[in-house]
Structure formats: C-alpha cells, structure tokens
Amino acid sequence: MRRPSETDGSASKSDRRAADKQRRASPGNLVGHGGPIKALAVDAATGRALTGSFDYAMMVWGVAAEDRAASRASTIHNGAVNAVAFVPGSRMALAAGDDGAVALWDLETGKLAHRFLGHEAKIVGLAVSADGRWAASASWDRTARLWDLAKREAGPVLSGHQGPVNAVAFSADGSRVYSASADGTIRTVDERGRQLSEAAPPPWLGASTFSRRLPGGERLVFRRAQRLCWRCWMERRAQPSCELPAHEAPGAGAGGARRARRDRHGRRRQA
C-alpha cells in the first residue's frame, strides 16, 4: 500500500482552502470575520445586521438585497464579542463580551462613544429597552447590570443569582428586567433593581437561558439545559405556561436509541 506523501498532504490542504474560498464567495454569504460568529442582531427597518465574533470584533453589515456587504468593523474589544444589540431610535449599537465591558458604538462614524465598566467576568447577554434609554447586561460574575445610555453612566446592579447570569430582557414598557441564570432561576426586578418575583423550577431542569420576550405580552421563551426544550414563562404567574417538544441531544443518535427523560413532575421516563 502506498504511503501518503507530503505532496498528497499539501494538495489536500490546497483543495480545502480552494473549496472554502469558493464557499465564502457564494452569493448571499457575508464574509469578513476571522473567527466563529457568536452573536447576531438584525434591524429590519434599516436593513442592517450586527455580528460579534471570537475574533474580538463587531461588524456592521448591509443585508438589503442590493447591499450585502460589511460597512464597518469595530475591533477595540479585548476579548471575544458574545452579544450585540441596536439601540432603538438612534444610530448607536452595543457590543459586549469576554472583556467584561459594554461598548457603545456610533454606527455612522464607527467610533467608540462610551465604554461601560463594572462587570468582573465575561458578558454573555445584552438587552435594550424599547425607548433606547436603558441597556441591561448578563454576566458570569452572577450579576446583571443596568446602564443609562442617555447619561452614559452605570445604573443598578441586579444581584441575587447564585450562578452565572446567561440572559436578560426588558418588559414591554421597560419598567422591569428579567434575568435567567445557571442557578435555574428567572428573576424579575424593577428599574431600581428591586426584586419583584423569582421562578425556581425543579433543579433537575438545569440552567435557564431565554431567547426573547414574545411580542404582545410578558411571556418569555426559555430553554433548560438538561431538558433541551423550549418553554413559555408567564411573568404574571412566575411559572411555565406551556412547553414545546424537546430537541434531540447532540450525539444521542437515532434508530431506536433509548434516552432517559423526565416528565413535568420529575419522574424518569423512556423515549
């Protein structure tokens, strides 16, 4: 049997590079980051999108059919960018990540307008109130924080979680902030940081991460790490209001593999 030569290896690498270059150049692909993309936000009204990447950069893209290109890159961050958000009613945007800072960017000039400091660990989530006045950040230092975007100063620290905070969201009127944590709880606080409610489902469900508040009310769609399913959480009752079918766990396989699951009461069942 012929042993692979160095020439074979070089040709294989060259083929992979050519295939990757062709894939990235395909119509509709937005190419520019130098690492995995970790965050995305879209402003349908302006036809723009924000992306945050492991390459320490946030990029602004024109995603209208006639303008699919990167318009600007912001690379002042000192770590991977895990969260990005547009500020409603303005030309500003936010980016935050592993460096624990929240950066406020002017999208027209591409300049840093302000840098909010205070977190002691990476930031993994951002939210902005509908009026563009407040921003909230979720951090692995077990806190969420509010930031006054108008005055460009720090607001209340939302403490109380016993694990990393994975996500934050504002209520429809901006008067309340929801935070979800690896401790399995979802907390509701007011704009002064005073706790209004806390939901603490059974611990076997695992960490809480919600994706967004559903329009037209105060329902949150969230995921439990161990359950691998999506649930709706009603703020008024501080408990799940419905459950969507579970996703398959990575590597679980198919073809009749038996997976241990639990029902809504915590009892084990086979699927």
Side-chain angles (χ1 to χ4, degrees):
M1 180 180 295
R2 186 176 70 88
R3 297 178 62 184
S5 66
E6 291 185 5
T7 303
D8 293 335
S10 299
S12 178
K13 290 180 181 178
S14 177
D15 290 343
R16 288 197 298 269
R17 285 195 295 267
D20 183 62
K21 184 176 180 180
Q22 182 177 4
R23 176 185 61 81
R24 290 164 64 90
S26 299
N29 286 347
L30 303 176
V31 180
H33 280 296
I37 294 173
K38 307 188 70 178
L40 171 69
V42 177
D43 184 354
T46 62
R48 292 186 297 183
L50 302 173
T51 51
S53 172
F54 198 74
D55 65 3
Y56 293 22
M58 178 186 78
M59 297 191 76
V60 188
W61 307 83
V63 293
E66 68 278 4
D67 183 30
R68 290 179 179 173
S71 58
R72 196 176 300 276
S74 304
T75 57
I76 198 171
H77 302 280
N78 296 316
V81 178
N82 302 321
V84 293
F86 287 98
V87 179
S90 76
R91 64 184 194 182
M92 313 302 284
L94 295 168
D98 284 2
D99 60 4
V102 177
L104 178 65
W105 293 95
D106 186 322
L107 296 180
E108 297 301 322
T109 65
K111 294 182 179 180
L112 179 68
H114 192 74
R115 191 177 178 89
F116 297 99
L117 301 175
H119 280 299
E120 297 178 357
K122 67 167 65 179
I123 297 171
V124 295
L126 283 174
V128 184
S129 60
D131 62 4
R133 169 67 187 274
W134 292 95
S137 54
S139 172
W140 281 13
D141 64 4
R142 302 189 177 190
T143 71
R145 285 177 175 258
L146 292 179
W147 311 96
D148 189 326
L149 300 181
K151 296 181 179 179
R152 297 185 182 178
E153 61 184 33
V157 178
L158 313 181
S159 58
H161 283 296
Q162 301 305 306
V165 181
N166 296 320
V168 286
F170 281 93
S171 62
D173 63 5
S175 66
R176 299 183 301 284
V177 180
Y178 309 115
S179 59
S181 169
D183 65 9
T185 64
I186 296 177
R187 294 164 56 90
T188 307
V189 300
D190 63 17
E191 68 277 7
R192 297 183 181 180
R194 296 176 299 191
Q195 181 176 326
L196 301 177
S197 67
E198 179 177 291
W204 53 264
L205 282 174
S208 298
T209 301
F210 51 74
S211 61
R212 65 184 61 201
R213 178 182 56 78
L214 296 178
E218 298 304 322
R219 292 195 300 172
L220 305 173
V221 178
F222 69 95
R223 175 177 62 84
R224 293 296 185 188
Q226 299 303 321
R227 191 61 180 263
L228 295 174
C229 66
W230 296 99
R231 286 176 160 229
C232 299
W233 183 76
M234 187 74 72
E235 190 270 338
R236 202 175 286 175
R237 294 200 305 256
Q239 63 183 12
S241 61
C242 64
E243 182 174 327
L244 303 180
H247 292 286
E248 296 294 332
R258 295 176 66 83
R259 303 181 308 277
R261 301 246 182 146
R262 297 179 185 267
D263 63 18
R264 63 189 304 168
H265 303 293
R267 295 188 294 265
R268 292 175 66 87
R269 62 182 174 85
Q270 295 295 326

